[in-house]
Amino acid sequence: MKTISLKKAAVINAVSQYSNIILYIGFNIVLARLLTPEEFGIFAVVSIFTTFFSKIYDGGLGSAIIQRKDLHKQDINSLYSFIHYIAVILFLVFLLLGIPISILYKNPEYILICAILAVSILFNTFNVVPYSYLLKEKQFYKIAFLNITSYFISYVSAVFLALFGLKYYALAFQTVFLSIIKFCLSKKMSGISSAKKMDFRLIKSIIPFTLYELGSSLINYWEQNLDNILISLIMGSTPLGFYSKSYTLTKYPVTAVSGAVTPVLHPILSDYQKNKIVMHKKYTQFLLCVSTAAVFVAAICFCAAKEIILILYGIQWINCIQSFTYLSLCIFPLFMMSGNMSVYKSLGRTDLLFRVVILNTCITSFFIVIGILLGTIETVALCVCIANWFNMIVTLYVLNKIGFGISLWGFWKLFISDIFMLFFIQAVCMMASYWLFPKMQILISFMIKIVIIGTIYLFYLLFSTRYRLISSIFFSKK
């Protein structure tokens, strides 16, 4: 099996991640001016259900392929044959799902949208085994290439279709093109093919691992999408369009920074599943980088929310500003929780992950319901923020205390200064906003805020131990 350091894997994946994010932001700037918030909202409704199916079609099988070091190519081929049956079943179910969705939301357009997206469900399910095999073999160069290629072609297609007035169908076809291209490239690069005979003993042997992860994924889906579901049902597609855009924008920085490492954590850390000390050291190094970056990114998103929305999407998305401001407050906990699922899997403790997800879902559901009862997408965003801070505390406590046996103070003492500095920068910018920025041109106010935040942040790095810690990580040879 190929050996590669976490740093090198992260760099390779970072190139892929940042390229995809640049493409995503660039094409969404165009699409935000071609499509209305209502049209984005209509597609967001169906995205709730495609996300649910994405939790099912993997079912923990991909993680099991990475975690099991005793699997040979013949075993992988057998699992690939097995996943074909799952793919066809999910395709047919999603195809028929368009009927009840159209009745529930009183819009017949959902029938055709679901029929189109059913094709993406089919190919995404096909892709689980070959893509996971590439991760298992640490073929990160190939993965970076197939991701950049598939995203670029699919986004260009979406813009082209939107220009011809296909509205939300352009977004649906983008998802389909993405799934087909990723599957074709993954299959060719992995060399995976169907086995003549499936090994049911092998399938049975991985069920205990996959069941806990499948359960965790389904419950996690409820936690992450309850706000979208309730907003769409109670407030309608247009408020959902505004909220969905705000939440997606909040996830950009999380994907950009922590996303560079998170996808490669499980393939790398699973090699140390019998050495918790080394695993925890590497995970802590990851969190140190993530936490430090989160301070800067979260401060910018909170302090310059108005400028970011108007510069990227234009005046028609002005109703996103307040909800994005509130959601930006949970960027730090989202950063800190970004790699925890990979670590639980690497420890072989998907059972522990399952319990944490249940607890976090209860917390999130409670706060989302409060936000919905208060009646606006802004109150929902604020409650989601509060829930994420509680979830971070619970998740990291269980992982470190129970999973690794590390004391609470021994872990959190590394990150207290980051949290304090984040709140300090946000407080300074809030006070400055009342005096300097109310009547200033958007682009100028954005640049000034960047300078203020950047200056404070730079002084923090230079006059704290954080600079030395991060330097030792980046300039070490391993």
Side-chain angles (χ1 to χ4, degrees):
M1 185 179 295
K2 187 176 180 180
T3 302
I4 185 171
S5 68
L6 179 58
K7 184 192 296 186
K8 185 176 181 179
V11 170
I12 298 169
N13 193 62
V15 174
S16 173
Q17 286 285 338
Y18 296 154
S19 300
N20 293 338
I21 289 168
I22 291 170
L23 289 173
Y24 187 86
I25 293 176
F27 284 111
N28 266 270
I29 289 174
V30 178
L31 290 172
R33 287 158 174 80
L34 295 175
L35 305 178
T36 66
E38 182 181 6
E39 289 167 345
F40 269 99
I42 289 173
F43 181 75
V45 168
V46 187
S47 296
I48 295 171
F49 297 95
T50 57
T51 303
F52 176 76
F53 274 70
S54 72
K55 305 296 182 181
I56 297 176
Y57 60 62
D58 186 323
L61 181 59
S63 297
I65 291 172
I66 296 171
Q67 187 73 9
R68 287 278 297 269
K69 305 304 179 184
D70 59 334
L71 297 180
H72 302 291
K73 193 69 172 287
Q74 185 178 353
D75 300 320
I76 305 296
N77 289 339
S78 181
L79 293 174
Y80 180 61
S81 299
F82 172 71
I83 204 71
H84 275 67
Y85 294 97
I86 305 297
V88 173
I89 293 172
L90 293 178
F91 167 77
L92 294 174
V93 172
F94 198 86
L95 191 66
L96 297 173
L97 190 62
I99 298 174
I101 293 176
S102 66
I103 295 173
L104 180 64
Y105 291 96
K106 300 177 182 178
N107 188 343
E109 298 280 1
Y110 286 121
I111 297 177
L112 182 55
I113 296 174
C114 285
I116 296 170
L117 289 174
V119 178
S120 72
I121 298 295
L122 180 71
F123 282 95
N124 278 329
T125 310
F126 286 158
N127 193 39
V128 168
V129 173
Y131 191 82
S132 299
Y133 181 72
L134 289 174
L135 285 171
K136 180 183 180 69
E137 296 298 312
K138 302 180 179 68
Q139 298 291 331
F140 299 121
Y141 286 109
K142 293 181 179 179
I143 292 171
F145 173 79
L146 74 87
N147 280 329
I148 294 171
T149 302
S150 55
Y151 276 103
F152 178 78
I153 296 174
S154 65
Y155 286 142
V156 170
S157 303
V159 171
F160 181 79
L161 294 174
L163 285 170
F164 280 87
L166 266 70
K167 302 183 292 186
Y168 29 76
Y169 294 114
L171 300 175
F173 278 111
Q174 184 270 327
T175 305
V176 172
F177 295 149
L178 177 65
S179 65
I180 294 174
I181 298 168
K182 287 185 75 171
F183 165 70
C184 292
L185 291 175
S186 294
K187 188 175 186 302
K188 182 176 179 60
M189 292 176 177
S190 65
I192 298 297
S193 59
S194 299
K196 294 182 180 179
K197 184 178 180 181
M198 285 189 292
D199 186 348
F200 288 100
R201 287 184 299 178
L202 169 64
I203 296 170
K204 185 178 179 180
S205 69
I206 65 174
I207 286 178
F209 183 91
T210 59
L211 281 181
Y212 275 119
E213 185 175 347
L214 176 60
S216 300
S217 296
L218 293 178
I219 297 171
N220 186 248
Y221 160 83
W222 173 264
E223 177 193 354
Q224 294 184 352
N225 289 275
L226 179 61
D227 47 358
N228 291 314
I229 294 171
L230 293 179
I231 289 173
S232 66
L233 289 173
I234 297 173
M235 301 180 190
S237 59
T238 300
L240 176 62
F242 287 121
Y243 180 83
S244 178
K245 183 66 72 177
S246 301
Y247 194 81
T248 303
L249 191 56
T250 304
K251 286 296 186 73
Y252 283 164
V254 180
T255 305
V257 179
S258 64
V261 183
T262 300
V264 303
L265 271 181
H266 188 200
I268 299 297
L269 293 184
S270 62
D271 290 342
Y272 305 99
Q273 55 190 280
K274 295 182 180 180
N275 191 336
K276 289 185 179 182
I277 296 176
V278 175
M279 186 187 297
H280 188 266
K281 180 181 178 181
K282 291 184 176 294
Y283 173 56
T284 303
Q285 289 177 341
F286 161 71
L287 278 188
L288 285 170
C289 296
V290 163
S291 175
T292 305
V295 173
F296 182 69
V297 174
I300 289 177
C301 290
F302 176 79
C303 300
K306 178 181 178 181
E307 290 84 354
I308 291 171
I309 292 291
L310 294 179
I311 291 172
L312 288 181
Y313 301 127
I315 195 68
Q316 71 168 332
W317 293 93
I318 195 170
N319 289 341
C320 289
I321 294 174
Q322 196 60 50
S323 57
F324 176 57
T325 302
Y326 291 146
L327 286 170
S328 67
L329 291 170
C330 68
I331 286 178
F332 185 86
L334 287 175
F335 267 69
M336 293 295 288
M337 292 188 291
S338 57
N340 76 89
M341 294 186 73
S342 297
V343 183
Y344 279 115
K345 294 174 192 175
S346 299
L347 285 169
R349 294 303 306 270
T350 51
D351 59 323
L352 200 58
L353 172 63
F354 181 70
R355 297 186 183 99
V356 170
V357 169
I358 290 176
L359 184 55
N360 286 349
T361 300
C362 292
I363 294 171
T364 303
S365 301
F366 172 76
F367 280 103
I368 287 175
V369 170
I370 291 176
I372 290 292
L373 291 175
L374 292 174
T376 66
I377 61 171
E378 289 78 18
T379 57
V380 175
L382 184 58
C383 288
V384 166
C385 169
I386 296 170
N388 273 291
W389 278 91
F390 277 107
N391 289 344
M392 177 189 70
I393 294 170
V394 170
T395 300
L396 295 179
Y397 171 79
V398 173
L399 179 58
N400 286 277
K401 185 67 176 179
I402 302 177
F404 285 108
I406 303 296
S407 69
L408 194 59
W409 172 245
F411 174 79
W412 278 110
K413 68 180 181 181
L414 298 172
F415 305 99
I416 289 177
S417 62
D418 286 344
I419 297 174
F420 172 80
M421 183 52 55
L422 172 60
F423 290 146
F424 174 75
I425 295 175
Q426 289 174 335
V428 169
C429 282
M430 282 181 66
M431 290 187 289
S433 296
Y434 286 109
W435 297 96
L436 299 177
F437 305 113
K439 297 181 180 180
M440 198 172 288
Q441 201 272 339
I442 292 296
L443 197 56
I444 295 175
S445 66
F446 179 67
M447 296 304 296
I448 293 176
K449 287 179 180 180
I450 293 291
V451 171
I452 293 173
I453 294 169
T455 302
I456 299 173
Y457 182 73
L458 183 61
F459 273 102
Y460 168 62
L461 291 182
L462 292 175
F463 292 99
S464 70
T465 58
R466 178 62 76 239
Y467 174 76
R468 292 195 295 271
L469 285 168
I470 299 303
S471 296
S472 66
I473 292 170
F474 279 105
F475 294 104
S476 65
K477 294 182 179 181
K478 293 185 178 181

